[in-house]
Amino acid sequence: MKIPVTITVNGKKHETEVEPRTLLVHFLRENLAMTGTHVGCDTSSCGACTVLLDGKALKSCTMLAIQADGREVTTIEGMAQDDKLHPIQQGFHEKHGLQCGFCTPGMVMTAADLLANNPKPSETEIRHALEGNFCRCTGYHNIVESIQHAAHAMNG
Amino acid sequence: MTFIGKSVKRVEDKRFLTGKGRYTDDIKLPGMTHAVIIRSPHAHARILNVNTSKAEALPGVVKIFTGKDVAELNGVPCGWQVDFKNGDTMKEPPHKLMVADKTRHVGDAVAMIIAETYAIAKDAADMVVVDYDEMKAAINMREAIKPGAPLVHDDVPNNICFDWELGSDKAEVDAAMAASHHVTTLEFINQRVIPNAIEPRSAIGHYDTANDRYTLYTSSQNPHLIRLLLCAFVLGLPEHRVRVVSPDVGGGFGSKIFHYTEEALVVWASNQIKRPIKWTAERRESFMTDAHGRDHVTKAEMGFDADGKMTALRVKTLANMGAYLSTFAPCVPTWLHGTLLQGLYTTPKVHVDVTAVFTHTTAVDAYRGAGRPEATYLLERLIDTAALEMKMDPAELRYKNFIPAFDGVKQEGYTTQVALQYDSGNYEPVLKRALEMVGYADFRKEQEQARKDGRLLGIGFSTYVEACGIAPSAVVGALGARAGLFESAHVRVQPTGKVSVYTGAHSHGQGHETTFAQIVADKFGIPLEDVILEHGDSDSVAFGMGTYGSRSLAVGGSAIVKSIEKVIEKGTKIAAHLLEAAETDIEFAEGKWTVKGSDKSVGFGDVSLTAYVPHNYPEGLEPGLDFSSFYDPANFTYPFGAHIAVVEIDKETGKVDLKRFVAVDDVGNVINPMIVDGQIHGGVAQGIGQALFEGAIYDEDGQLVNGTYMDYTMPRADDLPMFEVDRTVTPCPHNPLGVKGAGEAGCIGSTPAVANAVMDALSPYGIFDLEMPLTPERVWTAMQNSDAVV
Amino acid sequence: MIPTQVEYHRPKTIAEALELLQKFGEDAKILAGGHSLIPAMKLRLSTPAQLIDIANIPDLTGIDDEGDHIVIWAGAKHGEIASSYTIKEHLNMVAEAAGMIGDVQVRNFGTIGGSLAHADPAADWPAVMIAADATFVIASTSGERKVAAADFFQGLFMTDLNEGEILTQIHIPKPPAGTKSTYEKFVQPASRFAIVGCAAMSDPDCNVRVAFAGVSSKPFRDTGIEEALAGDMTASSIEAAANKAAEGVSVMSDHFASEKYRRHIAKVYAKRALMKLV
């Protein structure tokens, strides 16, 4: 039943076996015990499970682990380097872009995709980019400011 | 070294930002099994048969329980009692952990599958066959109370849980209303909304056979109360052998206050199978089983004299309880709604009448604001409507009726017609500031021009007062609460002068780990990083009443202050001994005890160490520097504010574009402005959600039509503007911090402001009232049906 | 929220994929980006026994300029199409629509082929393809066939695809230079699918093609509007023609938009789309 896969997560290669039906998010949470990626819905709507796959934002609940075979996944656990927060994480800290923290990993990963493609996004562009990520705590105001802060820190 | 009043960055952020938060579903215990609950697809049906044999045979299935297996167990209790007008006790039908006889809402639990993995449990669930005999359901409240309507509980006639009234003498209110120069009447539905914390509820039950101890991990706002209810009412477990842990919790908004059946089920079942069991809701389960909010059908009338002074308010409301009484459900439409109907106005006569109704729908309970948003919506919609009808300016109409300023110290608190005494209030400045921020005079000119250009601009106001910091115990007890509503705090100064604080409040986004540490660091004059806050674990925190009703800082923070004061008092004794001075000659400031008028002093660390290494120590004084306190406040606290929304409506589609949102709130003293602003933002967004987007839709069979994120509109980033917020400060006179509460304010003020703005924009059409949510179709249809030529 | 047990196959060529599909028949589902299929599998609304993952077939990806027409391979991602220079240059509405599908995450991994084969009545692609007069290339073990977009969509989640067939290419004729096109969408606020999506294209001679998504149980070309315009792209002519939107078409109704309202929005969005082409 199980099929061998090789998935690189945050730079570390994992060679293992999975049931084909295993969702990437379950693979991360259950098989690798990386619980920073969250599940908030059943309909690929909320974005709490967002990770980067080969650098692009992906809802990891909407891909089977086996589809990520041979590819590179970056999760929230891979953002900070040597205990130093990534500028996006730092932006969320500076601008109080998180409250309960549940949507935060997905928000940070989506912001990473945005800023990779659009280093100086406008408020409207940021709000559009966050279309696939729900936050019930912040009203998004401080998330927008957090991403602006990060954009400034990363690109001046 | 001052931290109070500063926007200190949150100390809890790092773990959340690096993916190291620890939510219930992140926890994996050795030998843990996984539960999936089979839920009724019918709102009202007799259960004829539950066939689990095929599922039981599936390899990996550990055990299956059905409603019959828990029939002898108690159900989950209701924590608040409201009596009928005639003195009879409210109807309180049992809410079993799973049902064996009949289902009373879509999502009612019928069976629980426990398996080695979640996937196997899901597969097994598909193999269980339940035969139902579907019956007609009571969904609409107006229909449900009619004779002959289907009954939710056979022994509850007409589905009426209780009726209740409060306020001035009814005959006097009627007379004042009849004598009024103008009466504005609104009949409306304050629609049911679904809380939707982004973390779905989750619970892990673990019975430890070797030590005869139970542990429940649960995504709750309220771990200690859950333990009390679980032990004393549901399972009869010995409380000292039960530990309840609420680790990181991904948002609550009220929905995680209550004791849910799944919590009791996993604890009970884990003793049956002697293994830990995890259950985590799928989002569609959250939609069906998290307690919903609001759901009132209301008729409200407000009388005015010729000058626009309010003369009387009369309110009649049907409040939906859903199929079962959730933990605090009866209190929401009564003591949290009726008591707020004075608003910030001098209305001399107020009467409210509430009938609570059972329906075949998900239970309704407190949702951010709980009762106060419903009261505020009613009042503020009445005022803006009255202003339109009487052709008066809505801001002026409010100024005319505001209660004059009172600080609760020099001037007494304000006693309302509906059982409260407001602690302090100064209402004009918040509205004045909000009008200034929005540029009111200029807006009216812009609006006039826009109308000439065929554009529909609107402005809406809302001024509110709310009651939070829910307590004191004696008062709420008299009103029907079956629990105290104090808070506890334990401050433990370690020998090295580092401080551990244990609070019974629970943080699920509110930033207690920062705000509370700011208070402690400030009062002790020590660095912020020398303070750590623990919460959410009944093994480390002696007792707690949890977080809801914007109470954590006002009640929990005050309890911490009490313990701080005890530490300083004892420290003074130790310092006096060390400094060889009289206690009365010692003062404590900036982290050291000093002999008044001298440079002789001893530091916080030295005193701490001495307390635990008491070689040179005051005679008769106990060692240690470790105090717990319970704080039961003298009154609720009463924040207030003014919110203004500006909208533009697309004439062709009816779509409402929220262009600006201004909020000026007075939440008393502020410990951390950044966190308070964040609370306001979040509350405002949820209130806007109710006004424009959200609302549960049940069909006549009781199916939740919009029970997924593909159908239920959550406000998203591109639906909302940047919020413009400011504050005034009117301290609370009765707690040591002078704080009031900020968690719900945004959600209370914003909904009517947005609705009023839409009505203002539509006023050229003669449209004064529309049901929420104000969806494009609703707005467009109203414009279509108008005879006005615009 | 986990699919039922399934077996997984990863063919390296289209031929291999077709053989697997032939072998497993109706037990099999084609998996491309998975952004329509996996959500359905998670809710167990779709329970295939066999998954044939075509995402790694190099032949199925990319966008090619073939002179008189553009080929979008079925495995092309929405986001890739939205930012394609070739597409933007010749078929603005295709790029616009691609940029409005779902959200960033969906656009990064969802494929045009998957969306078209799924045939959700509220999806954006089908209407755009009809307006663009696209032709779909469908492969099976017995060869290839072509079908016009207008004939491909047959009803609610129903297409012309038969068992054993895979949609491999989308051919879109390059419109004459100076052609303008646009996609205007009235969004269903929860799902972000279309309540009404209007794709419109006008060449320099004012030959106009209009198609709708979301309005009816299948996407359709609105010849009523096209005929009423009769090459007259003035504001008054557009207004009058747009008022004929969805005439004679059965219109869907749900809690976001009743039939009456949806019909009205179709008119408004037809007008807005056409006005952008003036």
Side-chain angles (χ1 to χ4, degrees):
Chain A
M1 239 1 232
K2 288 192 174 178
I3 294 187
V5 287
T6 304
I7 302 174
T8 303
V9 181
N10 301 330
K12 190 178 166 199
K13 205 180 234 190
H14 295 269
E15 292 183 46
T16 180
E17 292 191 328
V18 294
E19 275 191 355
R21 63 164 159 174
T22 306
L23 298 167
L24 181 58
V25 67
H26 289 149
F27 174 76
L28 295 169
R29 291 179 55 81
E30 304 295 328
N31 301 42
L32 304 187
M34 296 173 71
T35 55
T37 304
H38 300 145
V39 177
C41 75
D42 328 326
T43 47
S44 309
S45 308
C46 78
C49 65
T50 302
V51 299
L52 302 182
L53 184 71
D54 295 336
K56 289 180 169 177
L58 163 78
K59 291 182 176 176
S60 61
C61 74
T62 314
M63 181 172 277
L64 303 172
I66 196 149
Q67 290 176 276
D69 188 19
R71 305 175 81 169
E72 290 203 21
V73 177
T74 308
T75 71
I76 189 68
E77 289 95 341
M79 292 299 278
Q81 296 300 323
D82 304 325
D83 207 38
K84 190 176 183 308
L85 293 181
H86 185 279
I88 297 173
Q89 293 169 312
Q90 191 64 36
F92 275 71
H93 179 57
E94 296 295 331
K95 292 294 175 183
H96 189 30
L98 68 154
Q99 291 183 25
C100 81
F102 196 79
C103 76
T104 309
M107 288 288 177
V108 169
M109 302 318 285
T110 302
D113 180 307
L114 169 68
L115 295 182
N117 294 305
N118 183 357
K120 290 182 181 173
S122 66
E123 184 208 327
T124 308
E125 287 169 333
I126 292 171
R127 287 184 182 274
H128 183 58
L130 297 178
E131 205 178 5
N133 292 74
F134 294 177
C135 172
R136 197 57 152 167
C137 292
T138 64
Y140 305 98
H141 180 112
N142 283 346
I143 293 179
V144 172
E145 291 198 342
S146 299
I147 296 172
Q148 286 169 333
H149 186 278
H152 189 70
M154 290 162 76
N155 304 297
Chain B
M1 204 175 326
T2 51
F3 297 106
I4 290 178
K6 298 264 165 61
S7 288
V8 175
K9 305 283 179 282
R10 298 204 319 171
V11 299
E12 50 269 77
D13 280 357
K14 191 173 175 187
R15 69 174 185 273
F16 296 123
L17 283 166
T18 53
K20 303 295 184 197
R22 187 169 177 258
Y23 303 89
T24 302
D25 191 58
D26 299 341
I27 296 168
K28 209 171 186 175
L29 301 177
M32 189 170 77
T33 60
H34 299 262
V36 163
I37 293 173
I38 294 179
R39 300 185 180 279
S40 169
H42 305 297
H44 190 203
R46 232 179 292 285
I47 299 169
L48 303 178
N49 187 40
V50 184
N51 186 339
T52 58
S53 54
K54 203 173 158 207
E56 272 161 16
L58 185 72
V61 170
V62 176
K63 183 77 187 169
I64 298 177
F65 294 107
T66 70
K68 282 185 182 156
D69 297 309
V70 296
E72 300 301 315
L73 300 176
N74 287 332
V76 289
C78 179
W80 201 290
Q81 179 180 322
V82 173
D83 293 334
F84 277 86
K85 288 177 193 166
N86 69 9
D88 288 354
T89 305
M90 69 182 185
K91 301 291 182 186
E92 197 176 351
H95 184 185
K96 290 291 190 180
L97 304 188
M98 293 193 283
V99 288
D101 53 348
K102 66 174 184 169
T103 72
R104 294 180 179 86
H105 68 94
V106 171
D108 224 348
V110 174
M112 176 168 68
I113 316 272
I114 302 163
E116 297 293 344
T117 67
Y118 169 66
I120 295 171
K122 286 291 288 180
D123 293 344
D126 285 349
M127 299 174 178
V128 173
V129 181
V130 186
D131 295 327
Y132 296 98
D133 174 22
E134 214 184 324
M135 295 182 281
K136 273 189 80 71
I139 304 301
N140 176 318
M141 279 195 284
R142 289 191 188 104
E143 300 299 320
I145 55 173
K146 287 182 183 164
L151 292 181
V152 182
H153 302 277
D154 294 340
D155 52 356
V156 180
N158 300 318
N159 294 311
I160 292 175
C161 177
F162 61 80
D163 59 22
W164 178 89
E165 64 183 332
L166 184 70
S168 327
D169 181 81
K170 178 72 172 27
E172 288 177 20
V173 174
D174 291 345
M177 194 69 76
S180 295
H181 170 77
H182 178 84
V183 175
T184 292
T185 304
L186 288 175
E187 287 186 69
F188 59 87
I189 295 170
N190 194 305
Q191 86 275 24
R192 178 186 288 236
V193 288
I194 302 180
N196 275 306
I198 305 298
E199 180 210 17
R201 285 191 299 114
S202 180
I204 302 171
H206 177 207
Y207 176 66
D208 169 2
T209 324
N211 295 296
D212 187 24
R213 290 206 54 174
Y214 298 83
T215 304
L216 167 67
Y217 297 89
T218 179
S219 52
S220 176
Q221 302 173 224
N222 203 8
H224 292 84
L225 193 65
I226 301 304
R227 182 172 74 149
L228 174 61
L229 296 174
L230 192 62
C231 295
F233 297 95
V234 188
L235 299 178
L237 302 177
E239 198 172 354
H240 62 303
R241 295 193 170 277
V242 178
R243 175 187 179 200
V244 177
V245 185
S246 291
D248 287 327
V249 171
F253 317 110
S255 69
K256 292 173 182 167
I257 300 172
F258 323 119
H259 182 27
Y260 285 95
T261 51
E262 296 87 359
E263 292 169 324
L265 266 179
V266 292
V267 171
W268 171 80
S270 121
N271 189 2
Q272 302 295 305
I273 66 164
K274 311 296 183 204
R275 289 177 66 181
I277 303 169
K278 178 195 282 181
W279 167 83
T280 300
E282 299 186 346
R283 178 55 58 185
R284 49 183 168 169
E285 279 184 288
S286 306
F287 270 100
M288 290 187 283
T289 65
D290 290 6
H292 295 172
R294 319 283 187 255
D295 207 349
H296 286 190
V297 173
T298 295
K299 179 176 182 184
E301 300 153 282
M302 188 177 265
F304 295 87
D305 70 14
D307 288 336
K309 286 283 278 182
M310 294 169 192
T311 53
L313 176 73
R314 188 165 56 201
V315 176
K316 198 164 166 51
T317 287
L318 292 179
N320 206 334
M321 298 285 105
Y324 303 104
L325 282 182
S326 175
T327 313
F328 290 120
C331 148
V332 176
T334 52
W335 298 107
L336 292 176
H337 166 247
T339 51
L340 269 298
L341 289 171
Q342 186 81 49
L344 10 67
Y345 312 108
T346 53
T347 319
K349 300 289 173 195
V350 179
H351 186 268
V352 52
D353 181 300
V354 176
T355 302
V357 182
F358 287 112
T359 56
H360 287 108
T361 60
T362 297
V364 180
D365 204 327
Y367 167 63
R368 201 170 196 167
R372 292 150 285 165
E374 295 91 313
T376 304
Y377 182 79
L378 173 169
L379 286 169
E380 299 307 304
R381 285 286 302 116
L382 280 171
I383 294 172
D384 270 29
T385 308
L388 281 171
E389 287 173 348
M390 297 192 289
K391 302 203 181 344
M392 292 180 69
D393 182 88
E396 285 307 316
L397 186 55
R398 285 180 173 81
Y399 281 134
K400 220 180 257 286
N401 287 284
F402 278 152
I403 296 164
F406 56 102
D407 64 8
V409 182
K410 281 181 258 111
Q411 304 94 13
E412 255 189 54
Y414 182 85
T415 302
T416 71
Q417 297 295 307
V418 274
L420 296 179
Q421 189 184 45
Y422 295 165
D423 57 350
S424 58
N426 188 8
Y427 304 135
E428 279 190 18
V430 286
L431 181 55
K432 190 160 169 272
R433 177 73 187 120
L435 290 169
E436 218 173 79
M437 284 167 72
V438 84
Y440 185 43
D442 291 341
F443 174 83
R444 285 296 186 200
K445 283 180 215 147
E446 190 189 337
Q447 182 182 39
E448 202 179 321
Q449 186 56 47
R451 279 180 183 160
K452 284 180 193 151
D453 300 342
R455 289 165 56 217
L456 300 175
L457 279 184
I459 192 165
F461 301 88
S462 160
T463 45
Y464 72 89
V465 60
E466 60 143 329
C468 60
I470 304 290
S473 298
V475 172
V476 296
L479 304 183
R482 290 166 171 167
L485 281 171
F486 53 84
E487 194 47 272
S488 88
H490 184 157
V491 173
R492 175 177 297 156
V493 181
Q494 314 281 5
T496 54
K498 311 293 184 197
V499 181
S500 303
V501 180
Y502 304 84
T503 175
H506 186 275
S507 186
H508 33 279
Q510 296 87 345
H512 296 169
E513 288 169 50
T514 305
T515 303
F516 289 5
Q518 284 177 257
I519 297 168
V520 176
D522 230 31
K523 299 270 181 194
F524 284 153
I526 58 176
L528 196 68
E529 54 269 25
D530 283 4
V531 183
I532 194 165
L533 189 90
E534 304 274 350
H535 67 92
D537 183 341
S538 70
D539 263 12
S540 58
V541 180
F543 200 75
M545 294 306 302
T547 285
Y548 41 82
S550 308
R551 70 194 298 275
S552 293
L553 189 57
V555 191
S558 296
I560 291 174
V561 171
K562 273 185 80 174
S563 284
I564 289 170
E565 284 166 355
K566 290 177 189 172
V567 167
I568 293 172
E569 195 187 324
K570 183 168 178 183
T572 303
K573 288 189 169 62
I574 299 170
H577 180 82
L578 293 175
L579 294 167
E580 299 175 331
E583 267 178 62
T584 47
D585 289 337
I586 303 278
E587 61 187 359
F588 180 74
E590 289 173 14
K592 56 188 182 194
W593 283 268
T594 306
V595 180
K596 284 179 203 164
S598 82
D599 57 1
K600 279 174 69 184
S601 70
V602 57
F604 189 76
D606 295 328
V607 167
S608 308
L609 192 64
T610 305
Y612 291 91
V613 188
H615 298 163
N616 175 18
Y617 204 65
E619 209 177 306
L621 191 67
E622 279 179 28
L625 206 50
D626 188 331
F627 287 99
S628 68
S629 306
F630 288 77
Y631 178 77
D632 203 344
N635 192 357
F636 295 85
T637 63
Y638 298 89
F640 53 90
H643 290 191
I644 301 179
V646 175
V647 302
E648 178 161 4
I649 295 172
D650 181 335
K651 233 173 169 173
E652 287 185 312
T653 63
K655 190 173 187 310
V656 176
D657 177 19
L658 180 61
K659 296 177 83 73
R660 290 180 69 189
F661 197 92
V662 172
V664 180
D665 299 279
D666 190 320
V667 298
N669 288 338
V670 169
I671 308 294
N672 186 321
M674 174 192 83
I675 287 178
V676 168
D677 285 350
Q679 291 295 309
I680 299 295
H681 293 162
V684 164
Q686 273 172 299
I688 293 167
Q690 181 175 14
L692 296 180
F693 308 115
E694 301 181 45
I697 303 170
Y698 281 101
D699 70 13
E700 58 181 17
D701 296 326
Q703 296 293 335
L704 181 59
V705 174
N706 54 352
T708 78
Y709 284 151
M710 301 299 276
D711 310 289
Y712 185 92
T713 309
M714 291 279 283
R716 302 199 202 195
D718 57 359
D719 293 321
L720 301 171
M722 298 307 279
F723 303 127
E724 303 161 61
V725 303
D726 199 3
R727 266 186 294 283
T728 62
V729 176
T730 306
C732 170
H734 63 76
N735 68 42
L737 293 164
V739 297
K740 290 190 167 180
E744 295 161 295
C747 201
I748 291 167
S750 56
T751 309
V754 175
N756 283 337
V758 172
M759 297 320 142
D760 184 54
L762 293 175
S763 60
Y765 289 87
I767 297 166
F768 285 8
D769 192 32
L770 286 178
E771 259 182 44
M772 295 188 293
L774 297 159
T775 58
E777 174 159 13
R778 232 167 231 167
V779 172
W780 177 79
T781 304
M783 291 191 287
Q784 286 298 298
N785 293 343
S786 162
D787 299 328
V789 181
V790 180
Chain C
M1 198 215 44
I2 188 168
T4 50
Q5 290 284 10
V6 64
E7 284 181 22
Y8 175 85
H9 311 271
R10 189 186 291 154
K12 292 193 178 59
T13 63
I14 297 173
E16 221 180 294
L18 291 168
E19 272 164 39
L20 285 163
L21 199 52
Q22 172 91 349
K23 179 175 159 194
F24 293 119
E26 62 180 14
D27 288 347
K29 276 272 187 193
I30 294 288
L31 176 66
H35 276 56
S36 299
L37 180 59
I38 290 175
M41 287 176 66
K42 286 194 309 189
L43 297 173
R44 302 189 167 204
L45 299 169
S46 177
T47 56
Q50 310 288 337
L51 280 181
I52 302 167
D53 184 354
I54 58 170
N56 296 285
I57 299 176
D59 287 354
L60 278 175
T61 60
I63 297 161
D64 300 331
D65 187 334
E66 296 287 343
D68 64 341
H69 67 282
I70 293 167
V71 175
I72 304 176
W73 289 84
K77 313 283 195 291
H78 310 311
E80 183 185 344
I81 298 168
S83 55
S84 154
Y85 179 74
T86 308
I87 298 288
K88 281 192 204 170
E89 190 188 357
H90 298 287
L91 291 156
N92 180 56
M93 69 178 170
V94 175
E96 278 183 354
M100 292 183 203
I101 294 171
D103 48 48
V104 173
Q105 293 95 318
V106 169
R107 293 193 288 275
N108 280 342
F109 293 95
T111 65
I112 185 169
S115 173
L116 291 171
H118 189 58
D120 190 310
D124 302 298
W125 275 139
V128 177
M129 291 299 120
I130 290 171
D133 199 16
T135 301
F136 299 159
V137 178
I138 292 167
S140 69
T141 49
S142 48
E144 279 187 351
R145 68 185 178 97
K146 287 186 175 179
V147 59
D151 300 326
F152 180 79
F153 302 101
Q154 301 189 333
L156 209 62
F157 300 104
M158 277 166 51
T159 69
D160 182 49
L161 277 174
N162 300 313
E163 207 176 294
E165 290 186 329
I166 299 177
L167 169 61
T168 56
Q169 304 169 47
I170 296 111
H171 291 192
I172 306 178
K174 261 190 210 167
T179 297
K180 291 180 180 176
S181 70
T182 190
Y183 183 68
E184 284 280 303
K185 178 175 177 178
F186 188 71
V187 172
Q188 197 265 48
S191 71
R192 304 272 158 144
F193 276 79
I195 286 177
V196 169
C198 182
M201 186 157 88
S202 171
D203 74 12
D205 298 331
C206 291
N207 294 308
V208 173
R209 291 174 66 93
V210 179
F212 281 108
V215 175
S216 191
S217 59
K218 62 173 188 172
F220 65 96
R221 183 173 167 192
D222 200 321
T223 49
I225 293 179
E226 294 172 11
E227 282 160 19
L229 274 173
D232 178 3
M233 287 292 277
T234 59
S236 60
S237 159
I238 285 172
E239 173 113 36
N243 270 328
K244 297 193 168 295
E247 238 176 44
V249 172
S250 147
V251 170
M252 295 194 292
S253 173
D254 59 31
H255 71 271
F256 288 104
S258 66
E259 183 193 333
K260 182 180 175 190
Y261 182 65
R262 204 178 231 102
R263 212 177 265 288
H264 165 73
I265 293 295
K267 292 173 186 171
V268 173
Y269 273 66
K271 183 179 81 182
R272 290 182 182 182
L274 290 166
M275 286 303 291
K276 280 175 72 180
L277 306 182
V278 175

